[in-house]
């Protein structure tokens, strides 16, 4: 029975598979709010792998898996403590191209999915916090060619009651 379900799912995806493309996103993060206080405002890096699935001429879905790393920085209000943060995410992004050309031009984007956060503090107040939460982001992008694009977005995820991950992300995207 499981084999039949897998075969039916594969058959349903075949018409889409000819139009899909694999890609990657490489980004810089600038934390704000609580996340900036915890990590001392240290900028971070991230990367993601995605699949583009065109739904119509101007609408594209982009499921992705990614990681973010914010290196150790001085924790505000806790002298002698340094904290780092990282997350792993599984998201679905929606891209809307007003000119209906997903290979060139400006687009709006929105994303939602799950994020696994880890915040580690060392020094005078050590701690280790892990949580899985919903995350969201939104912003603007520009596709220079069928392969290269750039994006600017804000992100949000409520890590814990006293910590919300927010900030700005600037990214370069590549489609293969």
């Amino acid at each position: 029975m499981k084999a039949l379900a897998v075969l039916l799912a594969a058959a349903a995806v075949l018409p889409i598979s000819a139009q899909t493309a694999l890609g990657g996103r490489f980004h810089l993060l600038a934390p704000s709010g609580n996340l900036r206080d915890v990590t001392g405002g240290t900028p971070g890096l991230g990367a993601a792998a995605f699949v583009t699935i065109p739904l119509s001429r101007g609408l594209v879905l982009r499921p992705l898996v990614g990681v973010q790393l914010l290196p150790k920085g001085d924790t505000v209000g806790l002298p002698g403590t340094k904290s780092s943060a990282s997350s792993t995410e599984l998201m679905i992004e929606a891209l809307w191209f007003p000119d209906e050309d997903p290979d060139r031009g400006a687009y709006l984007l929105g994303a939602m999915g799950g994020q696994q956060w880890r915040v580690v503090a060392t020094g005078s107040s050590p701690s280790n916090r892990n949580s899985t939460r919903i995350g969201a982001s939104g912003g603007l992008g520009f596709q220079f060619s069928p392969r290269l694009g750039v994006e600017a977005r804000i992100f949000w995820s409520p890590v814990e009651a006293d910590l919300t991950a927010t900030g700005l992300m600037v990214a370069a995207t590549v489609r293969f």
Side-chain angles (χ1 to χ4, degrees):
M1 193 63 161
K2 287 182 184 179
L4 178 61
V6 170
L7 287 174
L8 289 174
V13 173
L14 280 177
I16 295 173
S17 66
Q19 302 168 6
T20 62
L22 297 176
R25 179 181 76 204
F26 307 96
H27 52 270
L28 297 173
L29 300 165
S32 65
N34 302 114
L35 189 58
R36 181 185 59 231
D37 293 344
V38 168
T39 61
T42 307
L45 299 171
F50 59 79
V51 176
T52 59
I53 304 170
L55 295 182
S56 68
R57 287 192 45 81
L59 187 61
V60 174
L61 282 185
R62 210 165 61 178
L64 68 82
V65 60
V67 296
Q68 282 75 237
L69 303 168
L70 292 159
K72 282 185 183 179
D74 294 325
T75 305
V76 174
L78 295 173
T81 301
K82 291 188 176 281
S83 298
S84 64
S86 63
S87 75
T88 304
E89 62 185 7
L90 183 59
M91 307 283 272
I92 297 250
E93 298 180 328
L95 286 65
W96 176 60
F97 293 82
D99 293 337
E100 296 186 350
D101 184 1
D103 290 335
R104 286 188 173 67
Y107 59 92
L108 296 173
L109 65 97
M112 184 167 258
Q115 292 186 305
Q116 172 67 43
W117 283 94
R118 180 179 174 140
V119 180
V120 177
T122 58
S124 60
S125 297
S127 68
N128 189 353
R129 301 189 274 181
N130 293 297
S131 61
T132 302
R133 298 289 186 256
I134 292 287
S137 68
L140 302 168
F142 191 86
Q143 195 68 33
F144 291 105
S145 71
R147 295 190 183 268
L148 298 173
V150 294
E151 297 174 353
R153 63 172 76 199
I154 56 171
F155 64 91
W156 170 87
S157 182
V159 178
E160 290 184 346
D162 64 339
L163 176 60
T164 301
T166 57
L168 176 66
M169 181 187 300
V170 177
T173 61
V174 178
R175 288 190 283 185
F176 306 105

